[in-house]
Amino acid sequence: MLYRKASLFFREKFNAKVYRVAVDAGFTCPNRDGTLARGGCIFCDEEGARASYVNPHIPIREQVLSGIEKLRESYGAEKFIVYFQAYSNTYAPLERLKELYGEGLSASKNIVGISISTRPDLVSNSVLDVLSELQEKYFVMLELGVQSFNYRVLRKSRRFHLPSDSIDAILRAKKRGLHVIAHMIFGLFDELEPEIIDGGRILSLLGVDGIKIHNLYVVKGTDLEKLYERGKIKVYENPEEYAQLVVRFLENIRPDMVIHRLQGFASKRRLRAPLWTSDKHIIPNLVEKIMKEKGTFQGKFYRYRD
Ligand code: SF4
């Protein structure tokens, strides 16, 4: 095994082809509504990382059902995980969260789990307890936008949370047995490669179960685009260079960590740079090729063992 792919993890766990079905429950986020800031994180566009097929103006149940239909037709998906993806999906009163999560989960008998994407500073113990209770019937994943463990990088990215917020959220979620997935962005400002790779070791040591790796990419109309045009930020223009970094990262994390994603994705319509980000397969293919050529595998250089 080169690395632990999420598709195989789900196949082993559910003995079926499992896909996430994304919904937009109409949440906002404290980085947009003025609570922490306005304008959002520097890399976030108005669409708030929403899947292109999602329409936030229709009820959750309908979003789930139409998403399931599309995933069945396109990929032969058999079981589903409701994915509360856009913006911060724990950012509402507790009773409202319970209602929304319940609506998504009850939409189809083929739903086996739920995945909640949010900021590390938006997971109170009460929210975690709600998610923990759902584990009696469902597989529950908590996706945290950690992005970096570097204070300077987080501040320049206008995240307005600290590395310690991420550590705190991960530890409390792990205490409740949730499947924790960290989102990391490679290439934020001038974060050095050893810092990026050490982030993977930190996630490993904290017991994080899975990871979604994104390359920094520039979406049209964002402040990041202005910085890019002025030559103030760089992105991995060469996919090979980024894939090499991903391989070194994989070599340094726990071998059992589930790899849910290796690159970011944006449609050609929205994307400014790097243009290869509109091809979802380019990095998985390159990573596989490089790993085979190097004879390497996930966790090869992970030194911390129980
Ligand atoms: S990335 Fe997340 S936290 Fe940042 S502005 Fe977008 S939705 Fe808000």
Side-chain angles (χ1 to χ4, degrees):
M1 185 190 71
L2 299 175
Y3 65 90
R4 193 163 187 222
K5 290 183 186 167
S7 52
L8 283 181
F9 165 75
F10 287 135
R11 158 75 59 195
E12 281 165 21
K13 190 164 180 64
F14 297 105
N15 196 24
K17 214 169 183 186
V18 179
Y19 275 76
R20 284 178 173 84
V21 53
V23 295
D24 185 335
F27 290 104
T28 176
C29 116
N31 238 3
R32 288 195 166 273
D33 70 1
T35 303
L36 287 173
R38 291 198 187 275
C41 304
I42 197 125
F43 47 79
C44 182
D45 69 327
E46 289 292 330
E47 292 184 22
R50 169 192 308 140
S52 56
Y53 60 84
V54 167
N55 179 351
H57 305 296
I58 62 173
I60 305 258
R61 187 184 140 76
E62 285 175 39
Q63 292 184 43
V64 173
L65 293 176
S66 76
I68 285 181
E69 193 132 329
K70 284 191 186 83
L71 292 166
R72 270 203 187 117
E73 274 170 25
S74 310
Y75 306 107
E78 297 163 319
K79 302 275 178 195
F80 302 90
I81 287 172
V82 185
Y83 181 22
F84 284 78
Q85 181 184 23
Y87 297 104
S88 299
N89 293 277
T90 53
Y91 193 40
L94 215 51
E95 288 310 311
R96 180 73 184 137
L97 293 179
K98 284 188 197 169
E99 211 177 292
L100 291 168
Y101 300 161
E103 194 183 333
L105 284 166
S106 60
S108 159
K109 62 178 179 3
N110 289 312
I111 291 170
V112 291
I114 186 168
S115 194
I116 305 292
S117 183
T118 194
R119 293 168 53 89
D121 56 355
L122 280 185
V123 280
S124 64
N125 283 337
S126 342
V127 167
L128 290 176
D129 289 341
V130 167
L131 296 179
S132 180
E133 278 169 28
L134 291 176
Q135 290 184 112
E136 284 169 25
K137 272 182 79 181
Y138 298 101
F139 180 56
V140 182
M141 301 193 281
L142 179 67
E143 303 199 20
L144 296 170
V146 174
Q147 318 304 6
S148 164
F149 281 106
N150 186 314
Y151 172 80
R152 180 181 45 85
V153 166
L154 290 176
R155 201 178 59 170
K156 281 188 177 174
S157 306
R158 304 196 313 229
R159 287 291 294 172
F160 298 109
H161 66 77
L162 301 168
S164 50
D165 289 324
S166 298
I167 294 169
D168 169 54
I170 291 166
L171 291 176
R172 285 184 295 112
K174 284 305 304 169
K175 230 187 240 172
R176 290 162 174 85
L178 303 177
H179 181 99
V180 177
I181 299 173
H183 288 229
M184 303 300 277
I185 299 180
F186 290 3
L188 275 172
F189 295 93
D190 42 4
E191 189 162 36
L192 301 172
E193 178 173 324
E195 294 173 301
I196 293 173
I197 290 176
D198 206 47
R201 293 190 197 101
I202 294 171
L203 294 174
S204 300
L205 290 165
L206 290 170
V208 165
D209 303 274
I211 186 159
K212 281 189 176 175
I213 305 171
H214 306 79
N215 57 301
L216 179 66
Y217 61 88
V218 181
V219 170
K220 290 174 190 164
T222 57
D223 288 345
L224 196 64
E225 185 183 24
K226 290 178 199 145
L227 292 179
Y228 179 73
E229 297 301 350
R230 299 205 320 258
K232 300 276 184 204
I233 58 133
K234 286 199 216 110
V235 294
Y236 290 98
E237 304 282 0
N238 178 353
E240 174 86 23
E241 188 194 349
Y242 171 73
Q244 293 280 5
L245 167 61
V246 170
V247 170
R248 289 191 288 276
F249 183 88
L250 294 176
E251 287 173 331
N252 280 281
I253 60 172
R254 257 190 10 252
D256 64 317
M257 202 181 267
V258 182
I259 311 302
H260 292 266
R261 190 177 290 170
L262 291 176
Q263 66 168 94
F265 170 76
S267 64
K268 285 187 180 149
R269 175 180 64 82
R270 295 167 55 223
L271 185 64
R272 172 67 185 87
L275 295 180
W276 57 261
T277 310
S278 66
D279 177 353
K280 279 182 185 163
H281 305 291
I282 188 164
I283 298 302
N285 290 343
L286 276 171
V287 164
E288 205 152 316
K289 178 173 158 277
I290 295 166
M291 289 184 107
K292 280 183 184 155
E293 281 168 7
K294 279 178 83 177
T296 194
F297 49 87
Q298 179 178 339
K300 184 174 185 184
F301 300 128
Y302 184 66
R303 317 182 255 130
Y304 307 103
R305 308 279 168 182
D306 291 338

